[in-house]
Amino acid sequence: MAGKSLLSLFAVLLWSPKVLCYVEDLDDTFKEKRMDEVWLVEFYAPWCGYCKKLEPVWYEVGAELKSSGSLINVGKMDATAFSSVASEFGVRGYPTIKLLKGDLAYNYKGPRTKEDIIEFANRVAGPVVRALPSRQMFEGVLNRHSVLFVYIGGDSPLKEKYIEVASEMIVYTYFFSALEDALPTNVTLQELPSVAVFKDRTYFLYDAYQDGELSSWVNRERFRGYLHIDGFTLYELGETGVGKGVSGSVPDRDFQFGHMDGNDYINSLIMGEVPVPSIIVLNTSNDQYFLLGEPVKTLDQLVQFIHSVLDGSAQAQGGDGIFQRIKRVAFDARSTVMSVFRSSPLLGCFLFGLPLGVISLMCYGICTAESDDGTEELDLLKREALPEEDEYEDRRREGEEEEEEERQEEKSAADKKVD
């Protein structure tokens, strides 16, 4: 047993430096050499907890890309030490992951897992629009990717627009092009050229009159019909304006279906307690939500609830009014205080107890000063007035003594005359 432990330790010690060498530490000279290569770079801060959590994943990314023969270079840069370089690339938070390809810089906004980061790097490092010359290759791509966009047809203004949109949205999904004879047999086009999205074992065609701008349509359609939703995905759905909710899909596709593990995130979002399991509809445009008051037992019951949200008969809760904003501020403050005390009671006492103690002393001092009612000033005035009163008393006594002496002299003079 001890031998196996030593062998494992020895293997780790040999493997770790090899992994580390696949990630290059970058400095300000990086700007000069990056133009001729593709780089996947993490901008970090030494004190950042999220950066420390990402560090082992980042070394695994570098090792796997190198072992697969990828031409993508992996590096990391201390954005606090080389702040001018970080500012040039628009780094505003840590960690920031960017793929740099020539003059272009692509931000990574997905989950910080090895698989997701590698998938992003391989997708963005390749051509913006990949060609599908045969039906066999088309069907192979459909089996590998859950969502993909395809331009069908020859050169046209729509193709130019498609390439422009793909250049911006390649960070999220794949873009392909094909001729009509390469399409699967079950695909029917209304016109050429066309743009289609393939997902959920079906496809949807872009209609410029109904769907508006191509970029907006792509941004909405890049999600699968049913998602495992977390806080990041929910934020992305809200930013893209996908439908009105996180639960449901009706014929007019106003809803996005999904599920969440647990209720912690939803509880913090609605500032309440949601039982598990529950069905909730979130309106990402105004922060309203709709809850079904009873357990869902049939499909008809669920569909009826969704339609009641659409026609406005369901009761909306929450919202983005002034009362809800004030409530949100108070809720966030309370949650922050509680989380600090749960994670470190001593730190919580220090962070919140010390300021409260200082404020208490200040209030006590102010109240004490106000309760004197000017007594000290009156005492001072009295003390200043005492010398003047004493001087007046002395002069009065001297006057009385002089008058007494004069009376005595007059009396003595009168006595002498009598004699």
Side-chain angles (χ1 to χ4, degrees):
M1 185 69 181
K4 290 183 179 179
S5 300
L6 290 175
L7 181 60
S8 300
L9 178 61
F10 183 67
V12 169
L13 291 175
L14 288 179
W15 178 76
S16 296
K18 187 176 180 181
V19 171
L20 295 178
C21 73
Y22 294 145
V23 177
E24 185 174 345
D25 284 307
L26 305 175
D27 54 26
D28 51 4
T29 62
F30 167 67
K31 294 189 297 182
E32 303 172 1
K33 61 181 181 181
R34 79 171 187 87
M35 297 299 296
D36 299 327
E37 298 176 311
V38 179
W39 282 88
L40 182 65
V41 181
E42 175 207 0
F43 295 89
Y44 70 95
W47 43 262
C48 171
Y50 294 106
C51 302
K52 295 177 181 177
K53 186 177 180 180
L54 177 63
E55 186 174 12
V57 176
W58 197 248
Y59 286 124
E60 292 178 3
V61 169
E64 184 156 332
L65 285 175
K66 186 62 66 175
S67 64
S68 66
S70 173
L71 298 178
I72 301 172
N73 300 286
V74 181
K76 61 189 181 73
M77 177 180 288
D78 183 349
T80 61
F82 304 102
S83 57
S84 60
V85 180
S87 298
E88 185 176 330
F89 287 112
V91 176
R92 294 182 176 83
Y94 310 113
T96 294
I97 298 173
K98 289 179 177 285
L99 188 132
L100 308 175
K101 185 171 64 172
D103 293 329
L104 302 175
Y106 297 92
N107 289 327
Y108 177 68
K109 299 180 181 179
R112 293 169 186 159
T113 64
K114 180 186 72 172
E115 293 75 18
D116 288 303
I117 294 173
I118 290 176
E119 198 270 344
F120 160 81
N122 289 329
R123 182 175 68 248
V124 178
V128 173
V129 178
R130 295 167 165 84
L132 297 174
S134 66
R135 182 173 297 171
Q136 182 180 3
M137 185 174 290
F138 201 122
E139 292 175 349
V141 166
L142 288 177
N143 293 330
R144 286 197 301 271
H145 303 298
S146 58
V147 179
L148 59 95
F149 292 86
V150 182
Y151 171 83
I152 305 139
D155 294 336
S156 69
L158 179 61
K159 185 175 183 179
E160 296 177 1
K161 185 64 177 178
Y162 179 77
I163 295 173
E164 179 184 338
V165 172
S167 300
E168 298 178 2
M169 305 296 293
I170 189 66
V171 295
Y172 299 113
T173 189
Y174 284 91
F175 294 85
F176 297 89
S177 65
L179 296 177
E180 187 177 10
D181 57 4
L183 295 178
T185 56
N186 65 327
V187 177
T188 302
L189 300 180
Q190 298 175 353
E191 60 181 359
L192 283 175
S194 290
V195 177
V197 56
F198 291 82
K199 61 180 181 178
D200 303 324
R201 299 182 181 180
T202 186
Y203 65 94
F204 303 96
L205 297 175
Y206 167 67
D207 187 329
Y209 297 101
Q210 293 183 1
D211 300 320
E213 289 291 329
L214 179 61
S215 58
S216 300
W217 179 78
V218 170
N219 204 21
R220 292 192 304 268
E221 295 293 343
R222 63 185 176 90
F223 298 98
R224 289 179 289 121
Y226 188 89
L227 298 172
H228 177 227
I229 296 176
D230 54 17
F232 173 78
T233 308
L234 188 59
Y235 173 80
E236 286 287 296
L237 290 169
E239 287 292 300
T240 58
V242 175
K244 296 181 179 179
V246 176
S247 187
S249 180
V250 290
D252 55 3
R253 303 174 69 207
D254 282 331
F255 285 74
Q256 172 70 51
F257 271 123
H259 76 275
M260 277 187 165
D261 294 332
N263 61 351
D264 292 340
Y265 186 83
I266 287 294
N267 289 343
S268 64
L269 191 66
I270 69 172
M271 297 177 285
E273 186 73 22
V274 176
V276 177
S278 289
I279 293 178
I280 183 172
V281 174
L282 299 176
N283 188 332
T284 55
S285 65
N286 60 10
D287 296 334
Q288 288 184 342
Y289 64 93
F290 305 83
L291 274 172
L292 192 59
E294 55 186 6
V296 176
K297 297 180 179 180
T298 64
L299 179 60
D300 291 339
Q301 186 182 7
L302 176 58
V303 172
Q304 184 179 359
F305 170 61
I306 293 173
H307 280 293
S308 69
V309 174
L310 283 176
D311 62 27
S313 60
Q315 181 180 1
Q317 304 180 55
D320 56 0
I322 184 64
F323 174 75
Q324 288 294 323
R325 295 180 183 180
I326 295 173
K327 184 179 177 182
R328 168 60 61 185
V329 172
F331 180 85
D332 290 342
R334 177 180 176 275
S335 300
T336 301
V337 173
M338 295 300 295
S339 63
V340 170
F341 274 99
R342 278 195 299 265
S343 59
S344 179
L346 292 178
L347 178 62
C349 292
F350 176 78
L351 290 177
F352 299 103
L354 182 61
L356 288 175
V358 173
I359 293 173
S360 299
L361 290 175
M362 293 175 62
C363 292
Y364 175 78
I366 293 172
C367 294
T368 304
E370 291 178 352
S371 64
D372 289 339
D373 294 330
T375 305
E376 293 183 359
E377 296 181 0
L378 290 175
D379 292 340
L380 180 61
L381 291 174
K382 289 180 179 180
R383 285 195 297 270
E384 292 176 352
L386 282 176
E388 297 180 359
E389 294 178 358
D390 293 341
E391 184 177 352
Y392 172 77
E393 185 68 22
D394 291 340
R395 287 199 299 270
R396 186 181 65 78
R397 289 175 182 173
E398 289 177 358
E400 291 178 352
E401 290 176 355
E402 290 178 357
E403 291 177 357
E404 182 66 24
E405 289 177 359
E406 290 177 357
R407 285 197 297 270
Q408 291 293 336
E409 290 177 357
E410 291 177 355
K411 183 178 180 181
S412 296
D415 290 341
K416 288 180 179 179
K417 287 181 182 181
V418 171
D419 294 340

